[in-house]
């Protein structure tokens, strides 16, 4: 990841030439940046990655703020009862991740509308950012593929493309609540953070963002009509990380996932676009030696130039020690590396290293955000 961050910084300075980059040149560029990163210390690499991620996320949110022009990202609008149909109960309850009790359907009189649903607004975002995201049927020829996430525009290697929305669950909370952990494991839209905890996209987050956790006893006990719970993708048009598919057999990913922490110094004006919220307050003991964090998240990074209309693909990296749990469509992108991460194979990275093994090995061993 440090290599991609260094490459992004170099390429970002020559934006007018980016779309002319030929894929054949990428090995040369990556080899050059790998040499530059090899000369850095681990501390320098970590700092480089964090600076690049924070700079890109801040720029992305600044763009959204400029396009929004003081308009709220999400609004609750009335719906004619005669045309309204109450949706079926979700797979999990919005807050407690348990199936809600059946009740008589009531007419829906309002619904949440996102500013980013307007094509004209999304076009303006793309003009400022150079790209936007679109959800549509996946190109993968498999009945379970469903929807996929596609890039509109052009993105350079190392660019932050998307965020994973939803509630963030701390490791200590999951250890103390096995039933909650089991329900998260059954959800299709749950990811684990390498630095600890998990994120579930099915759990709506508070809007507007107020820095409090979802189950904060003070904010939740108050009858606050200004505090709504919405899906994170309504808040931010780049919060569709949960829609990215695993590449089919014979193909490779074009994005990688990395933990990202919104710092406590993140600009107040940009916080309404944060698509995440802590499920419960993180304990001070767990993060007492780390910088103050506003909320935790996860981002998707481009691993190569990505062009107009390409579907984003992410290697899911299921647990190699439990192959019986893998779905039929899953094929490991790098079985050797997956076995190493799962602890079922000795390290084979002492000799000549390919670029991806270098990145994955350093990332797994060194980065702890």
């Amino acid at each position: 990841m440090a290599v991609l961050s260094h490459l992004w910084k170099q390429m970002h300075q020559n934006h007018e030439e980016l779309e002319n980059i030929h894929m054949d040149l990428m090995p040369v560029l990556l080899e050059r940046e790998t040499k530059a990163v090899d000369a850095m210390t681990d501390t320098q690499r970590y700092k480089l990655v964090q600076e690049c991620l924070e700079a890109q996320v801040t720029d992305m949110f600044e763009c959204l703020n400029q396009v929004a022009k003081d308009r709220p990202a999400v609004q609750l609008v009335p719906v004619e009862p005669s045309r309204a149909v109450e949706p079926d109960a979700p797979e999990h309850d919005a807050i407690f991740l348990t199936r809600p009790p059946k009740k008589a359907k009531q007419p829906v009189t309002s619904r949440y509308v996102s500013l980013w649903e307007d094509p004209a607004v999304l076009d303006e975002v793309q003009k400022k950012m150079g790209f936007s995201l679109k959800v549509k049927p996946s190109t993968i020829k498999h009945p379970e593929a469903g929807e996929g996430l596609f890039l509109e525009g052009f993105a350079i290697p190392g660019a932050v493309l998307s965020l994973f929305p939803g509630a963030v669950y701390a490791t200590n909370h999951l250890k103390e609540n096995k039933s909650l952990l089991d329900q998260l494991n059954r959800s299709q839209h749950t990811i684990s953070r390498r630095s600890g905890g998990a994120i579930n996209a099915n759990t709506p987050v508070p809007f507007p963002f107020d820095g409090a956790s979802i189950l904060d006893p003070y904010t939740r006990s108050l009858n606050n009509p200004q505090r709504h719970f919405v899906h994170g993708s309504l808040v931010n048009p780049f919060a569709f990380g949960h829609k990215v598919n695993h590449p089919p057999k014979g193909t490779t990913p074009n994005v990688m996932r990395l933990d990202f922490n919104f710092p406590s110094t993140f600009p107040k004006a940009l916080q309404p676009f944060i698509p995440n919220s802590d499920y419960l307050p993180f304990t001070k003991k767990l993060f007492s030696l780390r910088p103050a964090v506003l909320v935790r998240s996860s981002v998707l990074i481009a691993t190569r130039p990505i062009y107009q209309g390409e579907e984003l693909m992410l290697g899911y990296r299921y647990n190699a020690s439990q192959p019986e749990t893998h779905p039929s469509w899953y094929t490991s992108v790098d079985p050797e590396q997956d076995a190493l991460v799962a602890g079922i194979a000795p390290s084979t990275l002492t000799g000549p290293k390919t670029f991806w093994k270098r990145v994955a090995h350093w990332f797994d061993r060194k980065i702890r955000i």
Side-chain angles (χ1 to χ4, degrees):
M1 184 56 220
V3 176
L4 290 177
S5 297
H6 197 270
L7 180 59
W8 175 83
K9 287 186 68 175
Q10 299 301 317
M11 298 177 70
H12 191 62
Q13 297 172 359
N14 301 289
H15 191 78
E16 67 279 358
E17 301 177 4
L18 297 181
E19 296 197 35
N20 296 323
I21 295 175
H22 195 278
M23 286 297 294
D24 292 342
L25 295 178
M26 287 307 300
V28 178
L29 294 173
L30 291 173
E31 182 179 359
R32 183 191 69 187
E33 302 308 323
T34 299
K35 290 180 180 179
V37 170
D38 280 345
M40 299 180 182
T41 64
D42 288 342
T43 301
Q44 290 173 326
R45 293 171 183 169
Y46 176 84
K47 183 179 179 181
L48 171 65
V49 171
Q50 294 309 300
E51 287 178 348
C52 285
L53 290 182
E54 187 173 340
Q56 290 191 69
V57 172
T58 301
D59 287 347
M60 176 184 285
F61 282 39
E62 285 281 9
C63 166
L64 298 181
N65 193 39
Q66 292 172 13
V67 173
K69 298 175 182 176
D70 297 326
R71 293 172 293 181
V74 181
Q75 286 185 312
L76 188 63
V77 300
V79 179
E80 294 183 24
S82 60
R83 298 184 180 180
V85 178
E86 185 175 41
D88 292 332
E91 177 186 358
H92 299 289
D93 179 78
I95 303 301
F96 298 101
L97 288 177
T98 55
R99 188 172 294 280
K102 292 185 177 181
K103 60 180 181 179
K105 289 190 174 183
Q106 302 293 327
V108 176
T109 58
S110 61
R111 74 181 185 92
Y112 291 108
V113 175
S114 172
L115 173 65
W116 317 115
E117 294 176 9
D118 186 340
V121 174
L122 208 54
D123 286 344
E124 191 174 351
V125 171
Q126 183 174 338
K127 290 178 181 178
K128 287 182 174 292
M129 283 292 299
F131 64 86
S132 61
L133 301 177
K134 186 174 184 179
V135 177
K136 59 183 181 180
S138 174
T139 57
I140 299 176
K141 306 301 181 182
H142 191 282
E144 295 183 26
E147 293 180 324
L149 189 62
F150 295 78
L151 188 83
E152 297 290 320
F154 172 76
I156 64 176
V160 174
L161 302 181
S162 182
L163 299 94
F164 199 95
V168 185
Y169 298 81
T171 302
N172 59 319
H173 297 147
L174 296 178
K175 288 182 178 179
E176 296 169 359
N177 193 330
K178 188 177 183 300
S179 61
L180 175 61
L181 178 60
D182 291 340
Q183 292 180 63
L184 287 176
N185 284 333
R186 289 195 297 270
S187 174
Q188 293 182 346
H189 292 151
T190 298
I191 61 169
S192 60
R193 281 171 43 95
R194 292 176 182 272
S195 52
I199 304 178
N200 180 263
N202 288 343
T203 309
V205 298
F207 179 82
F209 180 87
D210 54 12
S213 64
I214 292 177
L215 295 188
D216 187 289
Y218 299 102
T219 57
R220 188 161 170 73
S221 63
L222 298 176
N223 183 20
N224 182 2
Q226 302 302 318
R227 197 170 195 247
H228 305 279
F229 286 88
V230 302
H231 195 279
S233 60
L234 295 179
V235 173
N236 191 309
F238 294 102
F240 284 100
H242 60 297
K243 289 293 185 179
V244 178
N245 282 316
H246 180 82
K249 186 176 182 179
T251 61
T252 57
N254 53 17
V255 299
M256 67 182 295
R257 185 167 57 83
L258 188 65
D259 290 353
F260 174 72
N261 295 339
F262 286 94
S264 58
T265 56
F266 197 70
K268 187 76 173 179
L270 306 183
Q271 292 181 16
F273 307 110
I274 295 178
N276 302 98
S277 182
D278 291 334
Y279 181 70
L280 283 170
F282 275 60
T283 60
K284 292 184 178 180
K285 181 180 179 181
L286 185 63
F287 292 95
S288 58
L289 300 180
R290 305 186 184 185
V293 174
L294 183 63
V295 67
R296 294 147 188 81
S297 187
S298 184
V299 296
L300 296 182
I301 312 294
T303 57
R304 63 166 176 80
I306 303 180
Y307 300 90
Q308 168 66 32
E310 280 196 69
E311 182 172 2
L312 303 186
M313 299 287 183
L314 171 71
Y316 283 3
R317 186 175 283 180
Y318 286 146
N319 193 336
S321 65
Q322 300 176 348
E324 69 280 359
T325 65
H326 299 173
S328 60
W329 46 262
Y330 177 77
T331 302
S332 175
V333 174
D334 189 344
E336 181 183 348
Q337 178 64 25
D338 288 352
L340 177 63
V341 173
I344 59 177
S347 174
T348 59
L349 303 180
T350 55
K353 307 173 184 177
T354 64
F355 168 71
W356 286 117
K357 288 179 181 177
R358 292 171 68 89
V359 171
H361 179 67
W362 179 80
F363 176 72
D364 286 325
R365 300 295 181 185
K366 298 298 182 183
I367 289 188
R368 290 295 180 268
I369 302 174

